[in-house]
Amino acid sequence: MNALSNTISRFRRFDHGGSISGTVAVNFTSAALSALTSVVFARILGISHYGLYVYVISATGFMGSIAKLGLPTLITRQVAAWSTSGDWPHFNGIIRFGILATLASSTLFGLILLACNSFLGRISASPGFFVALALGIGIMVLQCIDSTVAGALQGMHYIARSLIPQAIALPSCLLVFIIAAHILHTQPTAIMLLATQLGLGIMMEAYQLFSLRRRLPAPSIGAGYTTTARAWLRSSLPFWGNGILFIINIQADTLMIGYFKGGSSAAVYAVGTKGAQLVVLTLGAVVTAIQPRLAGLHNAGNHEE
């Protein structure tokens, strides 16, 4: 127990500096879990239910990337800059605006996706597709809010810890759930898995919001809010475009296969491509960890460092 306590203590100190190594560890663990869950889910759910699950997560993930409006990356940059300069009203304002804007936007885009469910190709004829899509939209809304909260935490240099709830804790709990259901001879379905993910997502997001509140710098508390929504949305446009292009790159293939060929083909394809994600993990971890450092140093005029 002492060894575990010491390890956790070291991780906390380690992560507060925005450690690249800590982020790499979280990303590699997340990738390993992603590869493992894809195989286990496909084996236990069966190809048709797993195909439905994969397609719903891909479709809502694609819509969620649009609904974020590029705000999480902007928030990371600005929170790091304003915490360095001590501009606490703007610091508070952009966090609150980001959470409310992504909540409203993801809800709106989710309703649009739900209304257009019959135009999603062959997979829309799958039994239970509408219910699965509705659950997926709930998951999407939570993930959009989580991205904003995680962006604020990363701006305060809590990098690895901001990623753990969605990247490690959530898939680990889903893995335990589906294995337990299999052991108890209860045949899980895509809808059951999505409902469980939604429930776990609510708990994870409550923890993230609590974590954000706990880690707000003392001078920011009671400093009020300054909101310049139009300027922030203009500034977030390049990040929004990059985010859409990125999600097209990683999700378009699964969506097109599901649209034309149905859930079974999407499931086989998803399992086969999970391993390829390991290739870009290190670069992604470096970028995630270094963003708030660069923003803070630039705002402080410390160009040499």
Side-chain angles (χ1 to χ4, degrees):
M1 287 298 292
N2 286 336
L4 178 61
S5 177
N6 290 336
T7 300
I8 292 171
S9 179
R10 281 197 302 272
F11 175 77
R12 285 175 175 167
R13 292 194 300 271
F14 187 58
D15 183 47
H16 182 61
S19 165
I20 292 173
S21 300
T23 313
V24 169
V26 170
N27 277 273
F28 269 107
T29 304
S30 174
L33 280 169
S34 179
L36 179 62
T37 53
S38 67
V39 174
V40 173
F41 287 2
R43 293 283 293 181
I44 295 177
L45 285 175
I47 204 71
S48 59
H49 280 287
Y50 182 62
L52 177 58
Y53 173 80
V54 164
Y55 188 85
V56 165
I57 292 297
S58 296
T60 55
F62 178 80
M63 193 61 79
S65 71
I66 299 172
K68 290 173 190 174
L69 307 175
L71 287 170
T73 306
L74 178 70
I75 288 169
T76 297
R77 187 185 74 178
Q78 294 305 130
V79 163
W82 286 329
S83 61
T84 301
S85 64
D87 188 348
W88 303 117
H90 277 104
F91 175 95
N92 291 334
I94 198 168
I95 293 174
R96 184 176 72 164
F97 172 75
I99 292 172
L100 293 176
T102 50
L103 172 61
S105 176
S106 60
T107 302
L108 174 62
F109 278 102
L111 291 173
I112 292 171
L113 182 61
L114 199 62
C116 298
N117 76 91
S118 59
F119 300 101
L120 294 178
R122 282 185 64 181
I123 199 164
S124 62
S126 302
F129 178 77
F130 184 83
V131 175
L133 185 62
L135 291 169
I137 288 167
I139 293 167
M140 178 195 79
V141 172
L142 290 171
Q143 288 177 340
C144 287
I145 298 170
D146 182 80
S147 294
T148 303
V149 174
L153 287 167
Q154 289 166 22
M156 292 184 276
H157 304 285
Y158 294 99
I159 310 293
R161 268 180 284 179
S162 71
L163 303 173
I164 286 174
Q166 288 290 332
I168 295 179
L170 181 61
S172 297
C173 291
L174 287 174
L175 196 59
V176 169
F177 162 75
I178 202 163
I179 291 172
H182 182 65
I183 290 170
L184 295 171
H185 304 291
T186 301
Q187 180 56 45
T189 63
I191 291 175
M192 191 186 300
L193 184 59
L194 286 164
T196 303
Q197 185 167 337
L198 179 60
L200 288 169
I202 291 170
M203 291 188 284
M204 298 295 171
E205 198 48 45
Y207 168 79
Q208 281 284 72
L209 290 168
F210 173 73
S211 181
L212 175 64
R213 184 177 179 81
R214 263 187 71 193
R215 291 182 171 89
L216 288 173
S220 71
I221 299 170
Y225 302 91
T226 298
T227 303
T228 54
R230 188 175 297 177
W232 291 339
L233 289 172
R234 277 200 306 267
S235 297
S236 71
L237 282 176
F239 305 127
W240 187 46
N242 285 339
I244 292 173
L245 290 174
F246 177 76
I247 203 71
I248 287 174
N249 187 45
I250 64 171
Q251 298 284 24
D253 44 6
T254 303
L255 292 173
M256 294 301 287
I257 288 172
Y259 184 91
F260 288 111
K261 292 291 186 179
S264 298
S265 296
V268 173
Y269 182 81
V271 174
T273 55
K274 288 293 181 182
Q277 295 174 2
L278 293 167
V279 177
V280 296
L281 272 179
T282 304
L283 179 61
V286 171
V287 171
T288 302
I290 209 168
Q291 278 182 139
R293 290 185 181 187
L294 289 175
L297 290 169
H298 176 75
N299 192 67
N302 192 349
H303 302 298
E304 232 176 272
E305 189 172 345

